[in-house]
Structures are given as structure tokens and as C-alpha cells.
Amino acid sequence: KSNHLQLLNERKALCEGIIATFSGKSEAIEELIKEGKAGLQIAKAKDHEYKLIFNNAIATGFYYKQDFKLAKQHFEAAYDEAVKANLVEKSLKPLGNLVSIYHYLGLQNKADSAAQKLKQIADATDTLKYKTDVYYNLGLYNQQQKFYYGIALSNFLKSVELHKPIVDTTKILKRKLDYGSKLMMVAEIYLYLKQPRKALEYLSEVNPYLNLSVVIDVAAYGKFIRSYVLLGNKKEAVKYYNLLHKAVGTKPGKWSELVSSNLELATLAFKENDFNLAKTYIDKADKQAKLDNSELLISSVNLAYGEYYKSIND
């Protein structure tokens, strides 16, 4: 029996170690899925907390691979194990992720139900250690699914406020990067509200967490570009455009920011009536959008092409 527990704890430590230093690299994603699956194979029916951890690890890996069906399956399993063991605090991570995943998969009633459960737990439990994550997920829900931007901003600001004491004391990289993500969501709302200076206030606080994860770098540089384009500051916009492309490197893969950054600089070129330069940026965006094979991105590129041809009276 003690040997079984030892094996579970070894596998648990491996999963938690990968998550603690997680930077979004493909090899780390595959390792997380592999170790989680190995843990599930040795876990027994009553090992609820371990099965929760292993399913969470696998689901996180599939989430970063954008395989939302498999992520859904394992986050649901993780949540079920948390409920069986009455682990309220630990049920929040899978439940919060399911709010977004159900939405991605077109299961809006389930997304609404999961968000309601999340809010009820937050309202009823004062002792939650990571209530910051609850407000972050509620912010995503209100922003992306309900378009309640005022409520989303309130959620994100609360999340940042609660996370600050954690980030000041933790040595865990993932918690630091999570704080950077939360700051960026506050900036995102201010960008939507066309308040780039407020967005830059929060983006400036992300600087200590740059160069630790390509995922964070790409997201931050994309928001810096949008902020400076709104301010009409070409010099700073180009600076962050170059940093973004340097962060991605020679093997770009699927990054929506590579499309949006080119369209943002095309917008600046339009304002300066430099239509040839605008076309150059739109062509780059077009190439990346086709690589990503995203209808939404391709649609945005076609809108930009429409603006270009309209501008040259074609």
C-alpha cells in the first residue's frame, strides 16, 4: 500500500513540476500529457485527489494543443473527482477552464451553468486561496461570451488585486506568468474601450514577466502594438512589432498575433496614405492567416484588402 502511495506521489510531483515551470513549449505539453496518463494508469478508483491532478495535467496539455474535445473530457473528469472528494478549492481550476471550453465547443448552456457554479462558490466561500483565478475565469466569461465589458473589467481588476500578494511571495514560474496574463486582460478591456493609455499602465507591469514564456511575450507584444497604433505612435508600434516577430522566431506556427500585428501596422500605413506599405503588411497577414487556416483571421485579412482596394479606387 505504501509503495502504491509512493508511486502516486512521484507521478504527482512530476506533473506539478512540469506545470510549475510551464512555458508553453511543445515538448513540455507532450510531457505533461504523458505523465498525467501514466499517473491515471496506476491510480485506483478511490484515489480521487490524484485522479484530479492527473486529469488536470492531461487536460491542460490538450488545452494548449487546442484539442478542446479531449481537454473537455479530462477537465470534466478532474471536476468530478474533486466533487467526489469534496475538494472545493481544487474544483475551481477544471470548472473555470470548462467555462471557456464549453463556449469554444458551442455548448453555451453548459458554459453558463459552469460560470454560475463558479460564481456561487466564490460568493459563498471566503477561505478560497486562489479566488483570484475564479474572478479571472468570470472575467473571461463576461468579456468573451456575454460582452459585459464593465463587469469583465471589474472581475479582472479583482483578480489582479487578489493575485498581487501571491506573486510577491511565490517562486513558482507559472504563478508569476498567470499574474502577467491577468494584467494583460485588464489591458485588453481598456483597449476595447479605446483607452490605450490605461492599457499601457497595466502592460508596463507585465515587463518583469517577459522573456520567460513565448506565450506571454507574444500576447503582451500584440497588445503593446495595438496600444501604440491607437495612439498613432508608429515608432513604438514598429518596435514591438519587431520584438513580437523575434519572439516567435523562424518557425512561427499558429499565432493569431502575427496576423493582427500586420493588420494593425497596415492601419497606421493607411492613415499616412502609404498604400504600398499597407499592402505589404496585409500580404504578410494573409500568408499567416492561411497558415493558421482560421476563417475569422482570413475574414479580417479580406476586410483589410477591401480597405486597400477602396483606398486606391479599385
Side-chain angles (χ1 to χ4, degrees):
K1 187 173 179 181
S2 62
N3 184 49
H4 173 66
L5 197 59
Q6 183 185 340
L7 289 172
L8 285 173
N9 282 322
E10 284 172 2
R11 199 64 60 182
K12 173 189 168 187
L14 283 168
C15 289
E16 290 178 341
I18 297 167
I19 288 173
T21 57
F22 192 68
S23 64
K25 290 183 179 176
S26 58
E27 54 267 32
I29 292 170
E30 295 302 336
E31 189 70 11
L32 196 54
I33 294 169
K34 179 184 140 194
E35 295 299 345
K37 285 182 174 178
L40 277 186
Q41 284 180 343
I42 60 171
K44 295 178 181 176
K46 291 185 179 179
D47 294 327
H48 298 304
E49 187 166 357
Y50 291 100
K51 288 166 79 177
L52 157 66
I53 290 163
F54 299 141
N55 274 299
N56 247 336
I58 298 165
T60 301
F62 282 124
Y63 183 84
Y64 277 96
K65 287 181 82 170
Q66 296 191 354
D67 188 334
F68 297 126
K69 286 185 179 177
L70 283 174
K72 167 184 170 291
Q73 179 184 317
H74 286 282
F75 276 132
E76 284 177 338
Y79 178 70
D80 287 345
E81 296 297 336
V83 170
K84 286 174 189 171
N86 198 28
L87 298 167
V88 175
E89 177 88 45
K90 292 185 178 179
S91 74
L92 298 174
K93 178 178 170 56
L95 186 58
N97 281 299
L98 285 168
V99 174
S100 294
I101 288 171
Y102 285 142
H103 175 65
Y104 294 150
L105 295 173
L107 304 168
Q108 194 56 50
N109 287 340
K110 284 195 167 189
D112 292 340
S113 175
Q116 192 58 37
K117 279 184 197 169
L118 206 58
K119 188 173 185 305
Q120 285 168 352
I121 293 170
D123 290 344
T125 319
D126 291 329
T127 55
L128 295 177
K129 188 179 178 185
Y130 292 125
K131 197 181 266 197
T132 169
D133 295 339
V134 176
Y135 283 108
Y136 177 71
N137 283 305
L138 287 172
L140 290 176
Y141 171 73
N142 283 304
Q143 176 212 9
Q144 298 174 357
Q145 300 182 35
K146 295 300 175 183
F147 312 111
Y148 300 153
Y149 293 99
I151 298 173
L153 179 59
S154 174
N155 292 149
F156 288 136
L157 286 169
K158 187 74 175 171
S159 177
V160 166
E161 177 194 337
L162 291 168
H163 200 124
K164 185 71 169 72
I166 298 169
V167 83
D168 286 342
T169 55
T170 189
K171 292 182 180 177
I172 298 172
L173 176 64
K174 180 73 165 57
R175 298 305 296 175
K176 292 177 184 290
L177 296 180
D178 284 348
Y179 183 61
S181 296
K182 289 166 183 176
L183 288 167
M184 284 194 286
M185 290 316 298
V186 175
E188 179 68 30
I189 298 292
Y190 280 124
L191 283 171
Y192 175 81
L193 297 173
K194 299 290 188 285
Q195 296 181 38
R197 294 188 194 283
K198 287 293 291 182
L200 286 169
E201 278 181 35
Y202 286 89
L203 288 173
S204 67
E205 293 185 44
V206 181
N207 283 327
Y209 313 106
L210 296 177
N211 301 315
L212 298 171
S213 161
V214 67
V215 175
I216 296 292
D217 291 354
V218 167
Y221 293 147
K223 293 184 201 315
F224 272 113
I225 293 165
R226 286 164 59 200
S227 299
Y228 285 116
V229 167
L230 279 172
L231 290 168
N233 188 332
K234 182 179 178 181
K235 182 182 175 184
E236 288 297 312
V238 170
K239 169 187 156 185
Y240 283 101
Y241 175 88
N242 291 333
L243 284 169
L244 168 63
H245 287 261
K246 184 180 176 184
V248 171
T250 53
K251 296 179 180 176
K254 292 185 176 183
W255 296 104
S256 64
E257 286 85 354
L258 293 182
V259 179
S260 59
S261 64
N262 278 298
L263 295 181
E264 289 290 340
L265 287 188
T267 300
L268 271 186
F270 278 129
K271 287 179 181 175
E272 297 175 347
N273 293 323
D274 192 340
F275 302 125
N276 287 336
L277 181 60
K279 173 77 160 43
T280 301
Y281 283 123
I282 299 168
D283 286 343
K284 289 180 182 177
D286 184 45
K287 183 178 177 183
Q288 182 65 36
K290 285 172 179 167
L291 179 69
D292 290 2
N293 195 26
S294 161
E295 289 180 3
L296 188 62
L297 294 177
I298 291 168
S299 173
S300 298
V301 171
N302 281 325
L303 276 172
Y305 273 130
E307 286 295 323
Y308 166 73
Y309 287 114
K310 181 180 165 189
S311 300
I312 62 168
N313 298 318
D314 185 342

